[in-house]
């Protein structure tokens, strides 16, 4: 067996093994009676009805449908030096983990507003929104972009590589799936009790806020910095996608509904996040891996799809939109 292919297979097996161990730990913790955080309730149902379908539809189906596409020119488009790609990928993961620990444990901020709290009527002010959005913008968008420019990265070169017409069917199909799915399943309270004027203000306002606080940070950190560097190290697309999923799960460690107030509830929170958000992150990563366009996930499986039905009502209330 070719050593390089064996190494790639080994890395993929390690990734799968890590996910299986953590997933098994979640179910073991629940079975022995550990306290369960709000986000980690009904883990089996969530895994089977939401996250496994995401894995099938957004990873395996998309990989199959795009199997004849050419490889993305990662070095050229994203200005990545293969000789330093591994070091830079590890540095990016370390930067993400350390800043998430500081923001989550120290300031109660997660990737999606309102962070580690589950939003309830009147529980957050406009100042809370702006503090979260601007903090994430500085730490995960502005500072990384300055570093990218120092490395010679060019947004002009990146945008000139996009083929929106070729990728249009991906955008339409997966946007519709992720927008309509939460509404049909009852997971998002989008219709009813909101006027046309409130929708007209609330939807673009929510997209703007979520772009600052969640969308652009993930685009820059995961899709423009991490994935291109990992893709230069490993030719196996599934390995790259799995590593992207694990990276995204680190971004979600302090997301809405987690609880680290005790060891038991902290363990169920941590294992649930890795179990589920790795699969979501794999879906996001696949769009970039097969198209080379880091913004398609932003339109489909992040800000402009699911976050609109989930967050519009909340932002209408917080910003008193009439």
């Amino acid at each position: 067996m070719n050593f390089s292919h064996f190494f790639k297979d080994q890395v993929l097996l390690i990734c799968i093994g890590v996910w299986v161990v953590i997933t098994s730990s979640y179910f073991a913790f629940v079975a022995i009676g550990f306290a369960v955080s709000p986000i980690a309730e009904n883990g089996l149902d969530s895994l089977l009805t939401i996250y496994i379908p995401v894995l099938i539809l957004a990873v395996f189906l998309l990989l199959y449908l795009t199997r004849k596409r050419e490889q993305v020119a990662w070095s050229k488009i994203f200005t990545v030096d293969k000789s330093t790609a591994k070091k830079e990928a590890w540095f990016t993961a370390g930067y993400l983990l350390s800043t998430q620990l500081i923001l989550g444990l120290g300031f109660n901020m997660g990737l999606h507003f309102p962070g580690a709290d589950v939003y309830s009527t009147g529980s957050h002010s406009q100042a809370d929104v702006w503090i979260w959005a601007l903090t994430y913008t500085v730490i995960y968008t502005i500072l990384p972009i300055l570093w990218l420019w120092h490395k010679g990265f060019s947004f002009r070169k990146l945008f000139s590589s996009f083929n929106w017409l070729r990728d249009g069917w991906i955008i339409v199909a997966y946007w519709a799936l992720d927008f309509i799915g939460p509404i049909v399943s009852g997971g998002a309270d989008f219709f009813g009790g909101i006027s046309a004027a409130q929708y007209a203000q609330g939807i673009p306002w929510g997209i703007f806020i979520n772009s600052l606080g969640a969308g652009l940070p993930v685009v820059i950190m995961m899709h423009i910095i991490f994935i291109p560097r990992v893709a230069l190290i490993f030719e196996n697309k599934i390995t790259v996608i799995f590593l992207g999923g694990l990276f995204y799960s680190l971004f979600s460690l302090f997301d809405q509904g987690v609880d680290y107030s005790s060891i038991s509830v902290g363990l169920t929170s941590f294992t649930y996040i890795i179990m589920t958000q790795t699969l979501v992150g794999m879906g996001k990563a696949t769009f970039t891996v097969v198209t080379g366009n880091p913004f398609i996930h932003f339109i489909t499986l992040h800000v402009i799809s699911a976050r609109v039905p989930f967050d519009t009502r909340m932002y209408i209330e917080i910003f008193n939109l009439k």
Side-chain angles (χ1 to χ4, degrees), residues 296-317:
I296 290 181
H297 100 279
F298 176 89
I299 300 169
T300 54
L301 293 187
H302 207 175
V303 169
I304 307 180
S305 54
R307 300 321 306 182
V308 171
F310 276 121
D311 293 342
T312 297
R313 186 180 296 273
M314 176 180 71
Y315 286 124
I316 287 172
E317 179 187 316

Side-chain angles (χ1 to χ4, degrees), residues 114-136:
D117 299 319
V118 177
Y119 180 78
S120 59
T121 300
S123 62
H124 292 87
S125 67
Q126 295 179 24
D128 295 327
V129 176
W130 285 117
I131 290 171
W132 161 73
L134 294 176
T135 298
Y136 266 68

Side-chain angles (χ1 to χ4, degrees), residues 10 35 41 45 52 59 81 85 104 117 152 185 209 235 267 287 291:
Q10 285 290 90
E41 296 176 351
D45 288 344
I52 295 297
V59 178
D81 184 346
D117 299 319
S185 66
I209 292 294
E235 294 180 4
L267 286 172
F287 294 111
T291 69

